[in-house]
Amino acid sequence: MTQNDADIIRIAIASDLHAHATDDGSPSHLDIRIAESLPNQHPISGLYKLIEEDSLSAQILLCPGDLGHQSSPEAIKYAWEQLHKLGKKMGSKLVTGTAGNHDIDSRYKGDDHCPEHILKGLSPRFPLEDEHLSDRYWARAYAIHDMQECRLLLLNSSAYHGNTSVEQNHGRIDKQTIADIDQELRKRGKRDINVLLCHHHPQMHSELGLGESDVMKQGQLLLDLLGNSQYGSWLIIHGHKHHPKITYASGGSASPLIFSAGSLSSKLFLQLQTVGRNQFYLVEIDRSEVDEYGLVGRVKCWDWSFGNGWIPASDSSGLPARFGFGWRQNVITAAKDIAGFLGKRATLNWSSLLAKFPTLAFLIPQDLLNLEKQLANAHGLRFQKEGFNITKIGKTL
């Protein structure tokens, strides 16, 4: 399908910056004391360079939380200002985020009565410049912003941090908030493109031994609500785990897609270093494709390489340089259809295959990998790749 640029919605994602100004462990590559004139050492300056060289644009720039490290006021302020500069450089009409656990002064280091005082004091206003919506976010732990491009639901999964020491260790959405969201969505009606931004993961993230206790409590109730198909299809974008992956939530065929964004600049735990990288994302959703196939799209992804700047992600980066999402296809059936279409031909260009089966472009990386294995094991077919692009499929590659 030929893309009309006017139909493309672009959403940039910069998650878990963990900006800091400390020598205590140097938790992040985003040291606010590093000269911004060094784009190969300063992740934000590196993004300015990437945006300019690749002519990147986005209507929306999202940050799923943890602007700064350990509730550092100067680091959080710096990160928020830098995100707005990035948004301006990309032509974004909206720059917004949600509260991460590191953005909340839950241990009362600087203010003895308001854990959210750092975020509430930011300029531009956090999370939205619209005062009514911002106040609603803080009062009700969520805000819904209906834009021309999509419906955006901002959820504060750190809303209970600072209440008790137990709440510091996980996210939460309470049943009243779920009921409030349900009621408001019912009044607003159905949208084709819906995005939920939160910090904590609503579904268990058990890989790599990075802990399971920090999941969003009652997150499954939220997934069940958004997956009931009454309010359209949903893309959930979260941070916190620093582990890049994309998957479908548990539930029925309309369950939300969950995009776990890797950290933009936090230095990664040892367990993550072999399966993930610091990453920056650009999600592209074509309205004409959504009209035909439902909520589908494509993602471009870059890795941060200290000394080199931002480079296209590799297949071992957690999420690759190019991938799709949204098409839930049985890979066994898909492999059989592809083999039948190939017939007696030895090879076939991937572009010709996409022309016949356009929804292959919207398989998430895990499904594409499973399809590749199924084609090899059941039909003796192989992919030929150049860099991160599949170029051909055939029996004699």
Side-chain angles (χ1 to χ4, degrees):
M1 178 177 295
T2 302
Q3 291 184 323
N4 181 352
D5 196 65
D7 289 334
I8 306 298
I9 300 166
R10 294 185 175 91
I11 303 172
I13 304 171
S15 185
D16 292 85
L17 282 67
H18 284 268
H20 74 100
T22 176
D23 294 320
D24 184 17
S26 296
S28 169
H29 297 290
L30 186 53
D31 185 335
I32 67 175
R33 299 167 298 180
I34 295 177
E36 294 180 13
S37 59
L38 301 173
N40 294 337
Q41 298 181 31
H42 191 287
I44 299 295
S45 295
L47 283 179
Y48 294 148
K49 182 179 179 182
L50 174 70
I51 290 167
E52 184 173 344
E53 290 181 347
D54 288 18
S55 300
L56 302 182
S57 65
Q59 294 100 319
I60 302 169
L61 172 58
L62 301 178
C63 178
D66 281 356
L67 294 165
H69 189 69
Q70 294 183 349
S71 61
S72 165
E74 63 271 24
I76 291 172
K77 180 176 182 290
Y78 175 85
W80 187 238
E81 290 173 349
Q82 290 298 317
L83 286 174
H84 279 79
K85 290 179 181 178
L86 282 173
K88 184 177 181 179
K89 195 167 186 65
M90 299 184 77
S92 301
K93 62 192 294 186
L94 177 69
V95 177
T96 187
T98 193
N101 55 300
H102 279 263
D103 301 319
I104 303 296
D105 188 11
S106 58
R107 290 162 177 80
Y108 299 101
K109 295 191 300 181
D111 189 295
D112 64 359
H113 63 276
C114 181
E116 305 91 2
H117 69 96
I118 303 171
L119 294 178
K120 288 181 176 179
L122 291 176
S123 181
R125 185 181 286 109
F126 183 96
L128 295 162
E129 292 194 65
D130 183 288
E131 186 173 5
H132 171 74
L133 289 176
S134 183
D135 287 349
R136 188 172 182 84
Y137 174 87
W138 290 117
R140 307 291 288 273
Y142 82 94
I144 298 177
H145 183 27
D146 273 317
M147 305 177 63
Q148 177 184 354
E149 291 80 6
C150 65
R151 169 170 292 158
L152 179 62
L153 167 56
L154 300 180
L155 175 67
N156 183 4
S157 63
S158 300
Y160 294 91
H161 284 222
N163 289 355
T164 68
S165 59
V166 174
E167 293 292 334
Q168 297 170 0
N169 302 318
H170 56 250
R172 180 180 295 279
I173 181 171
D174 64 39
K175 292 181 180 178
Q176 185 59 53
T177 301
I178 294 172
D180 290 345
I181 292 172
D182 186 14
Q183 183 178 23
E184 186 168 350
L185 289 175
R186 188 177 295 115
K187 290 179 180 178
R188 289 174 177 261
K190 194 172 186 178
R191 289 286 298 269
D192 292 331
I193 304 172
N194 302 275
V195 178
L196 164 67
L197 182 69
C198 55
H199 182 64
H200 296 86
H201 45 300
Q203 183 167 279
M204 196 68 76
H205 200 120
S206 304
E207 301 95 318
L208 311 178
L210 294 175
E212 299 182 351
S213 61
D214 53 346
V215 69
M216 185 194 300
K217 303 301 181 183
Q218 302 187 133
Q220 186 60 51
L221 298 179
L222 174 65
L223 295 176
D224 291 343
L225 169 64
L226 301 184
N228 66 16
S229 74
Q230 294 183 43
Y231 310 123
S233 299
W234 287 82
L235 168 63
I236 296 176
I237 300 171
H238 74 79
H240 187 61
K241 294 304 283 187
H242 301 188
H243 179 199
K245 74 169 187 174
I246 189 164
T247 185
Y248 297 105
S250 60
S253 60
S255 64
L257 185 85
I258 301 180
F259 190 147
S260 173
S263 168
L264 185 85
S265 47
S266 176
K267 292 184 178 178
L268 302 180
F269 294 118
L270 182 63
Q271 300 98 312
L272 275 171
Q273 291 175 12
T274 57
V275 296
R277 296 290 185 274
N278 296 115
Q279 297 194 316
F280 173 72
Y281 309 97
L282 187 62
V283 178
E284 296 185 343
I285 299 173
D286 188 326
R287 290 187 183 89
S288 64
E289 292 173 339
V290 171
D291 290 342
E292 189 165 356
Y293 306 118
L295 183 50
V296 297
R298 300 171 174 83
V299 182
K300 297 177 181 177
C301 175
W302 293 266
D303 290 347
W304 172 247
S305 174
F306 187 84
N308 297 307
W310 290 97
I311 60 176
S314 72
D315 289 343
S316 60
S317 296
L319 289 170
R322 302 286 187 274
F323 62 93
F325 64 84
W327 188 252
R328 310 181 196 213
Q329 194 165 11
N330 185 309
V331 295
I332 297 175
T333 302
K336 183 178 180 181
D337 291 342
I338 291 170
F341 180 66
L342 184 66
K344 296 181 179 180
R345 286 173 288 192
T347 64
L348 187 66
N349 289 333
W350 184 249
S351 57
S352 299
L353 196 64
L354 284 178
K356 175 65 175 178
F357 305 107
T359 52
L360 291 176
F362 309 120
L363 293 177
I364 61 174
Q366 185 60 52
D367 283 341
L368 186 61
L369 178 62
N370 291 337
L371 175 63
E372 185 177 10
K373 292 178 180 177
Q374 182 66 23
L375 285 166
N377 295 335
H379 305 284
L381 299 176
R382 301 286 188 276
F383 287 161
Q384 179 175 308
K385 300 179 182 179
E386 292 181 4
F388 45 77
N389 293 318
I390 302 172
T391 56
K392 292 183 179 181
I393 183 173
K395 301 174 183 177
T396 57
L397 298 176

